[in-house]
């Protein structure tokens, strides 16, 4: 009798294990930690947490060889107001960002930072980043307002986010240098936009955003919500087209950023309006392989330190057999420095020290190894030609090795 009972228990256990094996996810397909809190998300509360670290070393060229480590924590919550309070088609996002580490930008001496995470001059800084509400009116119209950055909606694409260098990662970077026109993650000020879907393939956006040149000050850390008399405004407009070309997805966007602000020109004058045009195009040329290019241009090189930037890249998902979720990337950026900036340069004693402005080019190769859906490691190599384009003297080309580790919860 005991043998029969034991045999029956073993048989039932085996059937249960077989059923679990048939339905259980593979270890690398497990959901994120917070996505398991189904009752919380069903009620309209969706927390998130991202942790990223970058290690990079300038192994040759530039000003001097050195290495450094930076880290970032991005955390917040998405609130579905329809589920929480019955307000239809409305959401709220609240988030903060903490960064630490200085990076190696000063060691390289280039226009762009080889590490897209940087803790600023103090080496550590925290921001109250997002605090905005968005409301949809029907299927075609959406309005958003609050504390935010322009690159949430304008001059950006997810393909840029795979680069370690700020030459590509984020919005079109030349629009942020020196005389800033736009702010990027995680810098947020007051702003809003209206988005209208003309059709399934065509979209148009209009936005207006507060600007100020104190990028690293308390003003944009989220602790100062005031409007000041010397603040400016950047008006943005962007048209998006998302067609199918040869039955493959593509995206084209064209936009303008018109900043009404009192800028100091390089030749000693002042400019009260800075206008820049920008655009982007990407196309999936083969399964998993996307090519893209983008750029920005302004005629006002007396105000803009990089009046012309052109970038491009390739992102191939699943290049290697058995690694379908990995990404292999290549990037290149051309940045033309302002001639007026070179002609009116001064040295540390404020004496005239003109130079011939040239161009900097940044090349980057990387491979993102997706260990599990919520964790990756990304080795990278960057080669910077003519760091600083003349602004920092005659520097040798720089070679930067790095790695990015990211996790999402």
């Amino acid at each position: 009798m005991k043998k029969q009972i034991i045999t029956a228990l073993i048989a039932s256990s085996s059937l249960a294990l077989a059923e679990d094996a048939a339905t259980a996810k593979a270890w690398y397909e497990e959901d994120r930690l917070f996505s398991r809190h189904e009752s919380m998300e069903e009620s309209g509360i969706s927390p998130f947490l991202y942790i990223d670290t970058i290690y990079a070393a300038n192994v040759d060229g530039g000003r001097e060889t050195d290495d450094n480590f930076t880290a970032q924590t991005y955390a917040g919550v998405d609130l579905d107001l329809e589920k929480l309070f019955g307000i239809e088609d409305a959401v709220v996002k609240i988030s903060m960002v903490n960064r630490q580490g200085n990076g190696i930008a000063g060691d390289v001496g280039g226009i762009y930072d080889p590490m897209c995470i940087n803790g600023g001059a103090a080496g550590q800084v925290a921001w109250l980043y997002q605090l905005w509400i968005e409301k949809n009116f029907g299927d075609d119209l959406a309005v958003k307002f609050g504390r935010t950055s322009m690159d949430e909606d304008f001059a950006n694409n997810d393909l840029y986010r795979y680069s370690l260098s700020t030459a590509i990662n984020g919005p079109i970077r030349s629009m942020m240098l020196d005389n800033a026109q736009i702010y990027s993650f995680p810098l947020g000020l007051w702003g809003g936009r209206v988005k209208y879907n003309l059709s399934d393939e065509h979209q148009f956006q209009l936005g207006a955003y507060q600007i100020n040149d104190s990028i690293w000050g308390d003003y944009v850390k989220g602790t100062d919500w005031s409007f000041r008399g010397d603040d400016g405004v950047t008006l943005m407009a962007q048209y998006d087209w998302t067609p199918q070309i040869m039955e493959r997805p593509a995206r084209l966007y064209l936009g303008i950023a018109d900043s009404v602000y009192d800028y100091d020109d390089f030749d000693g004058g002042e400019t009260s309006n800075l206008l820049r045009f920008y655009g982007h195009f990407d196309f999936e040329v083969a399964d998993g392989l996307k090519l893209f290019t983008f750029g920005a241009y302004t005629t006002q090189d007396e105000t803009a330190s990089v009046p012309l930037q052109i970038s491009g890249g390739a992102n191939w998902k699943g290049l290697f057999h058995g690694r379908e979720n990995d990404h292999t990337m290549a990037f290149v950026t051309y940045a033309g420095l302002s001639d007026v900036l070179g002609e009116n340069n001064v040295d540390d004693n404020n004496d005239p020290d003109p130079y011939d402005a040239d161009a900097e080019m940044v090349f980057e190769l990387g491979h993102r190894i997706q260990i599990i859906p919520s964790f990756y490691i990304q080795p990278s190599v960057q080669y910077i030609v003519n760091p600083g384009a003349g602004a920092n003297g005659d520097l040798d080309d720089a070679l930067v090795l790095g790695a990015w580790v990211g996790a999402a919860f």
Side-chain angles (χ1 to χ4, degrees), residues 359-407:
E360 173 179 304
M361 293 194 70
V362 180
F363 299 88
E364 181 178 354
L365 291 174
H367 182 79
R368 179 168 293 190
I369 305 167
Q370 201 72 42
I371 308 298
I372 57 176
S374 59
F375 180 74
Y376 64 82
I377 300 174
Q378 181 179 323
S380 169
V381 57
Q382 299 176 50
Y383 190 73
I384 299 98
V385 178
N386 193 24
N392 297 319
D394 186 14
L395 300 179
D396 292 335
D397 298 348
L399 177 64
V400 175
L401 304 180
W404 187 348
V405 179

Side-chain angles (χ1 to χ4, degrees), residues 43-242:
S43 69
I45 303 173
S46 301
F48 57 86
L49 170 65
Y50 297 89
I51 299 175
D52 295 274
T53 62
I54 293 178
Y55 171 79
N58 181 34
V59 298
D60 187 52
R63 282 176 168 153
E64 60 181 325
T65 58
D66 201 357
D67 64 292
N68 214 327
F69 171 89
T70 60
Q72 171 181 281
T73 301
Y74 171 43
V77 62
D78 293 309
L79 303 177
D80 187 327
L81 299 189
E82 183 171 359
K83 292 180 179 179
L84 288 168
F85 307 112
I87 304 174
E88 294 184 1
D89 298 322
V91 295
V92 167
K93 181 182 282 288
I94 305 171
S95 72
M96 63 76 62
V97 177
N98 182 78
R99 284 183 169 181
Q100 61 188 64
N102 291 116
I104 58 171
D107 305 303
V108 174
I111 294 174
Y112 304 104
D113 192 333
M115 303 168 73
C116 59
I117 296 173
N118 195 308
Q124 195 277 337
V125 63
W127 291 274
L128 172 61
Y129 171 41
Q130 294 156 307
L131 181 55
W132 53 253
I133 181 171
E134 181 173 20
K135 177 78 168 69
N136 291 329
F137 298 90
D139 296 329
D140 300 325
L141 181 64
V143 178
K144 182 168 77 172
F145 176 77
R147 302 281 297 190
T148 182
S149 59
M150 293 79 151
D151 69 330
E152 281 196 81
D153 298 288
F154 295 89
N156 204 0
N157 186 279
D158 288 342
L159 292 169
Y160 309 167
R161 298 295 186 184
Y162 288 86
S163 172
L164 269 69
S165 172
T166 61
I168 286 185
N169 195 323
I172 299 169
R173 207 70 183 186
S174 65
M175 301 168 71
M176 292 188 63
L177 300 171
D178 295 332
N179 292 328
Q181 283 190 281
I182 68 174
Y183 288 110
S184 170
F185 170 93
L187 306 173
L189 289 174
W190 289 105
R193 65 102 175 95
V194 177
K195 179 171 64 178
Y196 184 73
N197 296 321
L198 304 171
S199 67
D200 291 340
E201 293 186 355
H202 302 277
Q203 181 187 91
F204 186 72
Q205 297 184 96
L206 285 173
Y209 299 88
Q210 177 189 18
I211 59 171
N212 185 281
D213 59 4
S214 302
I215 288 182
W216 296 103
D218 290 336
Y219 205 18
V220 291
K221 290 181 183 177
T223 57
D224 185 342
W225 287 18
S226 64
F227 291 90
R228 301 175 183 171
D230 58 353
D231 285 349
V233 60
T234 292
L235 305 173
M236 303 196 72
Q238 181 173 305
Y239 162 73
D240 277 75
W241 180 38
T242 53

Side-chain angles (χ1 to χ4, degrees), residues 259-282:
S259 300
V260 181
Y261 189 59
D262 291 331
Y263 293 108
D264 293 327
D265 295 339
F266 306 126
D267 57 7
E270 289 187 352
T271 293
S272 60
N273 181 271
L274 180 59
L275 177 66
R276 197 181 305 247
F277 302 90
Y278 65 88
H280 162 100
F281 178 73
D282 68 73

